[in-house]
Every structure is written in structure tokens, then in C-alpha cells.
Amino acid sequence: MQLSTKHLLGIKHLSPQDISLILSTAGQFKEVLQRSVKKVPSLRDVTIVNLFYENSTRTRISFELAEKRLSADTINFTASASSVSKGETLLDTVNNILSMKVDMVVMRHSASGAPHFLAKHIPAAIINAGDGINEHPTQALLDAFSIQEKLGSLEGKRIVLVGDIMHSRVALSNIYLLNKMGAEVMVAGPPTLIPKYISEALNVKVEYNLEKALQWCDVANVLRIQLERQNQVLFSSLREYNLAYGVSRRLLDGLKKEILIMHPGPINRGVEIDSDVADSNQSIILQQVENGVAVRMAALYLLAGKKTDQ
Ligand code: CP
């Protein structure tokens, strides 16, 4: 089987079959990663550049590790340490790198749509590693993989995304993916951090009361408050945000069931999630990070195959 797309720009452009294929391939790579020899020769003749115009810990390391596990040659590009500081454009930068016989591009950029722009101008396959407030497709895929691993399937499961929905590319990619795969989706948080009309536009439930949202769900995916993307005051203080919307042990103990707690990272402990929740047995935050490598191996492997066959 093959993906229906040459690039992985967003979940919006994937079919349910594409998503299932990536998740099942990731399952096979997860088995490889449990072996003593964790490396396969699948991308031995492929060269990949990791083009990071914005900071990252998990995504960057995870892609680099996935590429190494697949035996690809990798180059790491950090915008702040490059000739971007001398005024070189995104397109000139990428064309210069591609002229050195690079096959695939993994890109993170603070501008929404940057990888989509690049896809119109270069022949190489592109994986979006997060673009502004638009999408973060591999995060949504690893989140879905982690839910499936714990709950068996996504179909009919109730997932609430909590917090800064307005500025979250993780939220948008999760909403697209979960809806395509038959899950029920809710967003919860203060009205100032939830876009108006999101319910109609994206087929999600909206809840401004965190306790009610947690009562409703099987899984709570807690999102970081993205202060760096907010250009106006959207809530009174971090302390008051924590009191109203922080996921605390007291709130979880008040539920009549045990829900799964997720967070894409980086965590702001004591703001959107308390430490005793983040570090509890209910939390699968580090399992999400672990699964990121297998999911990114799957995406790279399937897209490299697509390119070779074209
Ligand atoms: N989840 C995530 O994208 O984390 P990083 O910003 O560290 O890559």
C-alpha cells in the first residue's frame, strides 16, 4: 500500500486510509525499536535535511533518531546558525541544500503555510514538523498511535483537547485526525482561547467548564499555553489560569473513572497541568515521546517509497 500524497503537510490532506497505513506501519517499526539492533536499512540511499526555523526538543530529536534508525543520511539545519541571518530567503536556502543531492525535507517554521509554499517550488518530499498555528501532523499521528495502544482503537472514543486551542497546531491536527478516524472530539478552555464558530467549522463540542469536560472524556490531551504566540492579554494571570483550567489531582480524584492524560510537551508544570498529574500512572506523556520515533519512521519510510515510485 501507498500514501495518497507525496508530502505530509497536514492531517487535513490525508485520507482515513493514509492515517491507518501510517499507524499500522508505525506499529511494525515500534517492534523493530524493541530489538537489541534497532536499525533497518530501509532508507540507506536517502538523504534528509531537518530544517528547523523554530526551536524544538522532541520533534527534532525524534526525526533525527527516526532517520538514523532507517539508515538515512541526515543533515541538521538551524536557522539561527545559518545564512538566514544574512538575509537569505527560505527558497534560496532550500534550493542550495537540495543542489547537494538531498532527497527529503523535514521542516518546522513559525509561519503558518511555510511548508505548503515550499511544496509548490521544490521537487523533494516535505514533512511538516509544525508550521505556526496551523498543523503539526506527526504529533497528531503519534498521539493517535498512543491512544490506540492504550485503548485499542480511536472509533467512538471521547477525547478532549484542553487549553490554548486558539494558538495550537497540535489541536488542529488532532481535531482533523480524530474526526476522520471516528472519535468524538471536545475542546475545553477559557472562551478567549477557543476560536468562535469552531464547533460548526470543525465538528467539535465546546465546553468552558473543565470539570464537565473531564467527566465527559476518556482521554484528556492537555495543551501548553503558548504565550509566545499571544499578542494580547487573553487571561488574567498564569496563577488564575491554573486555578480554573489546570488539570489537578483534586479534579481527577473527583471523577468516577480513570481517564488517560496526554500532553504534547513542553509542559508548563503548575500552569496547564500539575506535576503530580504529569508524573502519575494515568499520564502517558513519555510514551507519546517514545512513540514519536516509530511514527516518524513510518512517515519517512512511506513518503520515501512514494518518491521512488514516481
Ligand atoms: N511536541 C513538540 O512539538 O515538542 P517540541 O516543540 O519540543 O518539538
Side-chain angles (χ1 to χ4, degrees):
M1 279 181 74
Q2 281 206 346
L3 293 176
S4 66
T5 171
K6 176 182 168 183
H7 307 287
L8 179 51
L9 299 178
I11 301 294
K12 186 177 185 179
H13 311 286
L14 296 184
S15 66
Q17 291 73 26
D18 288 329
I19 295 167
S20 294
L21 178 59
I22 296 171
L23 296 181
S24 62
T25 308
Q28 292 165 21
F29 282 125
K30 179 139 189 194
E31 279 179 36
V32 170
L33 294 175
Q34 311 306 316
R35 298 178 193 159
S36 53
V37 178
K38 299 174 178 60
K39 204 160 173 164
V40 288
S42 313
L43 298 193
R44 201 167 41 201
D45 298 322
V46 177
T47 305
I48 303 168
V49 61
N50 300 312
L51 205 62
F52 277 70
Y53 279 77
E54 195 188 78
N55 293 342
S56 167
T57 297
R58 280 145 291 270
T59 312
R60 182 180 184 141
I61 290 174
S62 182
F63 265 114
E64 193 179 340
L65 204 50
E67 291 152 7
K68 289 186 192 311
R69 300 292 193 221
L70 290 166
S71 305
D73 291 323
T74 64
I75 306 161
N76 292 310
F77 169 93
T78 307
S80 59
S82 75
S83 291
V84 169
S85 62
K86 300 173 196 163
E88 193 163 34
T89 66
L90 171 63
L91 197 50
D92 281 340
T93 301
V94 176
N95 275 328
N96 275 273
I97 293 170
L98 293 183
S99 72
M100 294 182 247
K101 311 294 178 217
V102 170
D103 304 296
M104 294 177 80
V105 177
V106 173
M107 186 169 79
R108 168 167 290 194
H109 204 289
S110 56
S112 300
H116 307 70
F117 163 79
L118 211 53
K120 292 198 178 98
H121 292 93
I122 65 167
I126 300 172
I127 298 185
N128 179 3
D131 66 318
I133 59 167
N134 181 39
E135 282 221 47
H136 192 348
T138 56
Q139 180 68 47
L141 287 159
L142 75 87
D143 289 345
F145 185 91
S146 304
I147 295 171
Q148 270 192 349
E149 195 171 55
K150 284 285 167 190
L151 302 184
S153 74
L154 296 167
E155 178 92 40
K157 298 297 182 302
R158 292 179 160 189
I159 289 110
V160 63
L161 299 155
V162 181
D164 188 354
I165 309 301
M166 181 91 78
H167 303 96
S168 175
R169 54 197 177 205
V170 175
L172 190 56
S173 286
N174 262 271
I175 290 168
Y176 284 136
L177 188 151
L178 293 167
N179 273 333
K180 283 175 196 264
M181 301 308 280
E184 287 187 64
V185 191
M186 176 185 279
V187 293
T192 49
L193 291 179
I194 296 181
K196 284 179 188 162
Y197 314 117
I198 190 172
S199 179
E200 300 83 344
L202 293 175
N203 184 31
V204 294
K205 296 176 173 50
V206 177
E207 177 59 68
Y208 301 122
N209 180 303
L210 180 59
E211 195 173 345
K212 286 185 185 167
L214 297 179
Q215 288 285 3
W216 174 86
C217 73
D218 302 306
V219 180
N221 196 345
V222 187
L223 305 174
R224 183 173 68 87
I225 295 292
Q226 305 207 19
L227 292 173
E228 76 276 19
R229 298 192 207 279
Q230 297 178 14
N231 51 17
Q232 56 185 313
V233 179
L234 294 171
F235 51 88
S236 47
S237 71
L238 291 177
R239 177 79 193 123
E240 279 162 330
Y241 180 85
N242 176 255
L243 288 173
Y245 291 103
V247 178
S248 66
R249 177 48 50 204
R250 181 190 59 77
L251 268 178
L252 294 184
D253 285 348
L255 307 176
K256 292 185 178 64
K257 56 184 181 178
E258 183 157 302
I259 62 169
L260 217 54
I261 300 294
M262 303 174 69
H263 193 306
I267 296 173
N268 285 319
R269 290 173 183 264
V271 179
E272 71 270 2
I273 189 166
D274 289 351
S275 275
D276 54 359
V277 173
D279 301 332
S280 71
N281 289 336
Q282 272 175 273
S283 159
I284 58 164
I285 294 171
L286 291 179
Q287 289 157 62
Q288 289 172 260
V289 178
E290 180 188 346
N291 289 334
V293 179
V295 166
R296 290 176 175 123
M297 284 173 81
L300 289 160
Y301 171 77
L302 290 165
L303 286 171
K306 182 83 183 167
K307 180 175 168 289
T308 306
D309 292 346
Q310 281 180 342

PDB file of all heavy atoms in Angstrom, residues 52 54-60 108 129 136 139 169-170 224 263-266 296, ligand 1:
ATOM      1  N   PHE A  52      15.095  23.399  10.719  1.00  0.00           N
ATOM      2  CA  PHE A  52      14.347  23.936  11.860  1.00  0.00           C
ATOM      3  C   PHE A  52      14.538  25.443  11.972  1.00  0.00           C
ATOM      4  O   PHE A  52      15.609  25.921  12.337  1.00  0.00           O
ATOM      5  CB  PHE A  52      14.714  23.190  13.151  1.00  0.00           C
ATOM      6  CG  PHE A  52      13.930  21.912  13.276  1.00  0.00           C
ATOM      7  CD1 PHE A  52      14.180  20.849  12.430  1.00  0.00           C
ATOM      8  CD2 PHE A  52      12.902  21.791  14.192  1.00  0.00           C
ATOM      9  CE1 PHE A  52      13.429  19.670  12.491  1.00  0.00           C
ATOM     10  CE2 PHE A  52      12.147  20.623  14.279  1.00  0.00           C
ATOM     11  CZ  PHE A  52      12.414  19.562  13.420  1.00  0.00           C
ATOM     12  N   GLU A  54      12.469  27.091  13.931  1.00  0.00           N
ATOM     13  CA  GLU A  54      11.864  27.382  15.230  1.00  0.00           C
ATOM     14  C   GLU A  54      12.379  26.319  16.198  1.00  0.00           C
ATOM     15  O   GLU A  54      12.657  25.199  15.792  1.00  0.00           O
ATOM     16  CB  GLU A  54      10.331  27.283  15.104  1.00  0.00           C
ATOM     17  CG  GLU A  54       9.560  27.887  16.240  1.00  0.00           C
ATOM     18  CD  GLU A  54       8.069  27.555  16.115  1.00  0.00           C
ATOM     19  OE1 GLU A  54       7.673  26.429  16.436  1.00  0.00           O
ATOM     20  OE2 GLU A  54       7.310  28.445  15.684  1.00  0.00           O
ATOM     21  N   ASN A  55      12.474  26.678  17.478  1.00  0.00           N
ATOM     22  CA  ASN A  55      13.049  25.743  18.456  1.00  0.00           C
ATOM     23  C   ASN A  55      12.231  24.465  18.601  1.00  0.00           C
ATOM     24  O   ASN A  55      11.020  24.467  18.395  1.00  0.00           O
ATOM     25  CB  ASN A  55      13.154  26.412  19.829  1.00  0.00           C
ATOM     26  CG  ASN A  55      14.163  27.536  19.823  1.00  0.00           C
ATOM     27  OD1 ASN A  55      15.005  27.607  18.919  1.00  0.00           O
ATOM     28  ND2 ASN A  55      14.094  28.417  20.802  1.00  0.00           N
ATOM     29  N   SER A  56      12.904  23.402  18.981  1.00  0.00           N
ATOM     30  CA  SER A  56      12.239  22.109  19.193  1.00  0.00           C
ATOM     31  C   SER A  56      13.172  21.213  19.989  1.00  0.00           C
ATOM     32  O   SER A  56      14.393  21.266  19.807  1.00  0.00           O
ATOM     33  CB  SER A  56      11.947  21.462  17.835  1.00  0.00           C
ATOM     34  OG  SER A  56      11.581  20.110  18.005  1.00  0.00           O
ATOM     35  N   THR A  57      12.604  20.407  20.851  1.00  0.00           N
ATOM     36  CA  THR A  57      13.376  19.340  21.517  1.00  0.00           C
ATOM     37  C   THR A  57      12.890  17.994  20.998  1.00  0.00           C
ATOM     38  O   THR A  57      13.627  17.258  20.330  1.00  0.00           O
ATOM     39  CB  THR A  57      13.198  19.414  23.055  1.00  0.00           C
ATOM     40  OG1 THR A  57      13.731  20.656  23.509  1.00  0.00           O
ATOM     41  CG2 THR A  57      13.928  18.266  23.739  1.00  0.00           C
ATOM     42  N   ARG A  58      11.610  17.649  21.291  1.00  0.00           N
ATOM     43  CA  ARG A  58      11.072  16.331  20.969  1.00  0.00           C
ATOM     44  C   ARG A  58      11.054  16.051  19.468  1.00  0.00           C
ATOM     45  O   ARG A  58      11.543  15.016  19.000  1.00  0.00           O
ATOM     46  CB  ARG A  58       9.633  16.187  21.500  1.00  0.00           C
ATOM     47  CG  ARG A  58       9.536  15.880  22.957  1.00  0.00           C
ATOM     48  CD  ARG A  58       8.326  16.560  23.549  1.00  0.00           C
ATOM     49  NE  ARG A  58       8.569  17.986  23.541  1.00  0.00           N
ATOM     50  CZ  ARG A  58       9.153  18.628  24.558  1.00  0.00           C
ATOM     51  NH1 ARG A  58       9.433  18.007  25.638  1.00  0.00           N
ATOM     52  NH2 ARG A  58       9.430  19.925  24.481  1.00  0.00           N
ATOM     53  N   THR A  59      10.460  16.952  18.694  1.00  0.00           N
ATOM     54  CA  THR A  59      10.234  16.677  17.266  1.00  0.00           C
ATOM     55  C   THR A  59      11.561  16.542  16.529  1.00  0.00           C
ATOM     56  O   THR A  59      11.759  15.637  15.722  1.00  0.00           O
ATOM     57  CB  THR A  59       9.392  17.805  16.651  1.00  0.00           C
ATOM     58  OG1 THR A  59       8.272  18.048  17.497  1.00  0.00           O
ATOM     59  CG2 THR A  59       8.917  17.450  15.268  1.00  0.00           C
ATOM     60  N   ARG A  60      12.465  17.434  16.840  1.00  0.00           N
ATOM     61  CA  ARG A  60      13.751  17.434  16.150  1.00  0.00           C
ATOM     62  C   ARG A  60      14.556  16.166  16.457  1.00  0.00           C
ATOM     63  O   ARG A  60      15.049  15.487  15.555  1.00  0.00           O
ATOM     64  CB  ARG A  60      14.538  18.682  16.560  1.00  0.00           C
ATOM     65  CG  ARG A  60      15.850  18.784  15.865  1.00  0.00           C
ATOM     66  CD  ARG A  60      16.595  20.030  16.282  1.00  0.00           C
ATOM     67  NE  ARG A  60      17.798  20.114  15.500  1.00  0.00           N
ATOM     68  CZ  ARG A  60      18.296  21.222  15.011  1.00  0.00           C
ATOM     69  NH1 ARG A  60      17.698  22.363  15.226  1.00  0.00           N
ATOM     70  NH2 ARG A  60      19.395  21.219  14.304  1.00  0.00           N
ATOM     71  N   ARG A 108      10.296  22.649  10.264  1.00  0.00           N
ATOM     72  CA  ARG A 108       9.497  23.391  11.250  1.00  0.00           C
ATOM     73  C   ARG A 108       9.698  24.868  10.990  1.00  0.00           C
ATOM     74  O   ARG A 108      10.821  25.327  10.760  1.00  0.00           O
ATOM     75  CB  ARG A 108       9.928  23.065  12.677  1.00  0.00           C
ATOM     76  CG  ARG A 108       9.312  24.022  13.687  1.00  0.00           C
ATOM     77  CD  ARG A 108       9.445  23.577  15.097  1.00  0.00           C
ATOM     78  NE  ARG A 108       8.597  22.423  15.363  1.00  0.00           N
ATOM     79  CZ  ARG A 108       8.322  21.986  16.594  1.00  0.00           C
ATOM     80  NH1 ARG A 108       8.817  22.607  17.643  1.00  0.00           N
ATOM     81  NH2 ARG A 108       7.545  20.937  16.767  1.00  0.00           N
ATOM     82  N   ALA A 129       6.944  19.607  10.203  1.00  0.00           N
ATOM     83  CA  ALA A 129       7.237  19.295  11.620  1.00  0.00           C
ATOM     84  C   ALA A 129       6.648  20.367  12.534  1.00  0.00           C
ATOM     85  O   ALA A 129       7.095  20.524  13.667  1.00  0.00           O
ATOM     86  CB  ALA A 129       8.744  19.175  11.819  1.00  0.00           C
ATOM     87  N   HIS A 136       0.527  20.293  12.974  1.00  0.00           N
ATOM     88  CA  HIS A 136       1.691  19.525  13.452  1.00  0.00           C
ATOM     89  C   HIS A 136       1.300  18.051  13.253  1.00  0.00           C
ATOM     90  O   HIS A 136       0.972  17.330  14.193  1.00  0.00           O
ATOM     91  CB  HIS A 136       1.937  19.850  14.922  1.00  0.00           C
ATOM     92  CG  HIS A 136       3.240  19.367  15.477  1.00  0.00           C
ATOM     93  ND1 HIS A 136       4.069  18.476  14.814  1.00  0.00           N
ATOM     94  CD2 HIS A 136       3.878  19.649  16.655  1.00  0.00           C
ATOM     95  CE1 HIS A 136       5.139  18.255  15.563  1.00  0.00           C
ATOM     96  NE2 HIS A 136       5.043  18.944  16.676  1.00  0.00           N
ATOM     97  N   GLN A 139       2.723  15.013  15.236  1.00  0.00           N
ATOM     98  CA  GLN A 139       2.309  14.996  16.645  1.00  0.00           C
ATOM     99  C   GLN A 139       0.924  14.342  16.772  1.00  0.00           C
ATOM    100  O   GLN A 139       0.699  13.504  17.644  1.00  0.00           O
ATOM    101  CB  GLN A 139       2.276  16.420  17.213  1.00  0.00           C
ATOM    102  CG  GLN A 139       1.860  16.492  18.678  1.00  0.00           C
ATOM    103  CD  GLN A 139       2.881  15.883  19.631  1.00  0.00           C
ATOM    104  OE1 GLN A 139       4.069  16.155  19.516  1.00  0.00           O
ATOM    105  NE2 GLN A 139       2.431  15.066  20.574  1.00  0.00           N
ATOM    106  N   ARG A 169      -1.253  24.272  16.961  1.00  0.00           N
ATOM    107  CA  ARG A 169      -1.238  23.437  15.753  1.00  0.00           C
ATOM    108  C   ARG A 169      -1.489  21.968  16.118  1.00  0.00           C
ATOM    109  O   ARG A 169      -1.977  21.200  15.316  1.00  0.00           O
ATOM    110  CB  ARG A 169       0.104  23.606  15.032  1.00  0.00           C
ATOM    111  CG  ARG A 169       1.324  23.353  15.895  1.00  0.00           C
ATOM    112  CD  ARG A 169       2.575  23.929  15.254  1.00  0.00           C
ATOM    113  NE  ARG A 169       3.759  23.758  16.086  1.00  0.00           N
ATOM    114  CZ  ARG A 169       4.820  24.537  16.011  1.00  0.00           C
ATOM    115  NH1 ARG A 169       4.857  25.545  15.162  1.00  0.00           N
ATOM    116  NH2 ARG A 169       5.867  24.322  16.772  1.00  0.00           N
ATOM    117  N   VAL A 170      -1.133  21.614  17.358  1.00  0.00           N
ATOM    118  CA  VAL A 170      -1.405  20.244  17.820  1.00  0.00           C
ATOM    119  C   VAL A 170      -2.915  20.020  17.890  1.00  0.00           C
ATOM    120  O   VAL A 170      -3.425  18.970  17.489  1.00  0.00           O
ATOM    121  CB  VAL A 170      -0.756  19.995  19.208  1.00  0.00           C
ATOM    122  CG1 VAL A 170      -1.142  18.623  19.745  1.00  0.00           C
ATOM    123  CG2 VAL A 170       0.760  20.129  19.117  1.00  0.00           C
ATOM    124  N   ARG A 224      -0.174  23.243  26.018  1.00  0.00           N
ATOM    125  CA  ARG A 224       0.614  24.327  26.610  1.00  0.00           C
ATOM    126  C   ARG A 224      -0.015  25.680  26.281  1.00  0.00           C
ATOM    127  O   ARG A 224      -0.537  25.873  25.179  1.00  0.00           O
ATOM    128  CB  ARG A 224       2.038  24.267  26.021  1.00  0.00           C
ATOM    129  CG  ARG A 224       3.014  25.260  26.564  1.00  0.00           C
ATOM    130  CD  ARG A 224       4.414  24.962  26.016  1.00  0.00           C
ATOM    131  NE  ARG A 224       4.530  25.202  24.587  1.00  0.00           N
ATOM    132  CZ  ARG A 224       4.830  26.373  24.028  1.00  0.00           C
ATOM    133  NH1 ARG A 224       5.021  27.432  24.787  1.00  0.00           N
ATOM    134  NH2 ARG A 224       4.927  26.494  22.712  1.00  0.00           N
ATOM    135  N   HIS A 263      -0.046  14.989  26.925  1.00  0.00           N
ATOM    136  CA  HIS A 263       0.451  16.365  26.724  1.00  0.00           C
ATOM    137  C   HIS A 263       1.523  16.276  25.643  1.00  0.00           C
ATOM    138  O   HIS A 263       2.404  15.412  25.722  1.00  0.00           O
ATOM    139  CB  HIS A 263       1.028  16.901  28.037  1.00  0.00           C
ATOM    140  CG  HIS A 263       1.283  18.385  28.042  1.00  0.00           C
ATOM    141  ND1 HIS A 263       2.053  19.023  27.086  1.00  0.00           N
ATOM    142  CD2 HIS A 263       0.863  19.370  28.886  1.00  0.00           C
ATOM    143  CE1 HIS A 263       2.093  20.319  27.346  1.00  0.00           C
ATOM    144  NE2 HIS A 263       1.373  20.565  28.432  1.00  0.00           N
ATOM    145  N   PRO A 264       1.478  17.155  24.626  1.00  0.00           N
ATOM    146  CA  PRO A 264       2.487  17.060  23.567  1.00  0.00           C
ATOM    147  C   PRO A 264       3.866  17.551  23.998  1.00  0.00           C
ATOM    148  O   PRO A 264       4.866  17.265  23.335  1.00  0.00           O
ATOM    149  CB  PRO A 264       1.922  17.959  22.455  1.00  0.00           C
ATOM    150  CG  PRO A 264       1.024  18.922  23.174  1.00  0.00           C
ATOM    151  CD  PRO A 264       0.469  18.182  24.361  1.00  0.00           C
ATOM    152  N   GLY A 265       3.940  18.310  25.106  1.00  0.00           N
ATOM    153  CA  GLY A 265       5.193  18.915  25.545  1.00  0.00           C
ATOM    154  C   GLY A 265       5.528  20.127  24.678  1.00  0.00           C
ATOM    155  O   GLY A 265       5.031  20.236  23.559  1.00  0.00           O
ATOM    156  N   PRO A 266       6.350  21.038  25.169  1.00  0.00           N
ATOM    157  CA  PRO A 266       6.893  21.058  26.518  1.00  0.00           C
ATOM    158  C   PRO A 266       5.825  21.425  27.551  1.00  0.00           C
ATOM    159  O   PRO A 266       4.913  22.186  27.244  1.00  0.00           O
ATOM    160  CB  PRO A 266       7.981  22.140  26.450  1.00  0.00           C
ATOM    161  CG  PRO A 266       7.569  23.038  25.316  1.00  0.00           C
ATOM    162  CD  PRO A 266       6.848  22.171  24.342  1.00  0.00           C
ATOM    163  N   ARG A 296       7.363   8.589  13.207  1.00  0.00           N
ATOM    164  CA  ARG A 296       8.137   9.369  12.213  1.00  0.00           C
ATOM    165  C   ARG A 296       8.917   8.448  11.282  1.00  0.00           C
ATOM    166  O   ARG A 296       9.082   8.764  10.089  1.00  0.00           O
ATOM    167  CB  ARG A 296       9.020  10.383  12.951  1.00  0.00           C
ATOM    168  CG  ARG A 296       8.134  11.466  13.553  1.00  0.00           C
ATOM    169  CD  ARG A 296       8.808  12.488  14.396  1.00  0.00           C
ATOM    170  NE  ARG A 296       7.808  13.487  14.757  1.00  0.00           N
ATOM    171  CZ  ARG A 296       7.479  13.826  16.014  1.00  0.00           C
ATOM    172  NH1 ARG A 296       8.078  13.259  17.035  1.00  0.00           N
ATOM    173  NH2 ARG A 296       6.544  14.742  16.236  1.00  0.00           N
TER     174      ARG A 296
HETATM  175  N1   CP B   1       5.600  18.444  20.873  1.00  0.00           N
HETATM  176  C1   CP B   1       6.530  19.197  20.288  1.00  0.00           C
HETATM  177  O1   CP B   1       6.388  19.616  19.143  1.00  0.00           O
HETATM  178  O2   CP B   1       7.631  19.476  21.065  1.00  0.00           O
HETATM  179  P1   CP B   1       8.916  20.259  20.544  1.00  0.00           P
HETATM  180  O3   CP B   1       8.499  21.695  20.313  1.00  0.00           O
HETATM  181  O4   CP B   1       9.944  20.130  21.629  1.00  0.00           O
HETATM  182  O5   CP B   1       9.351  19.617  19.264  1.00  0.00           O
END
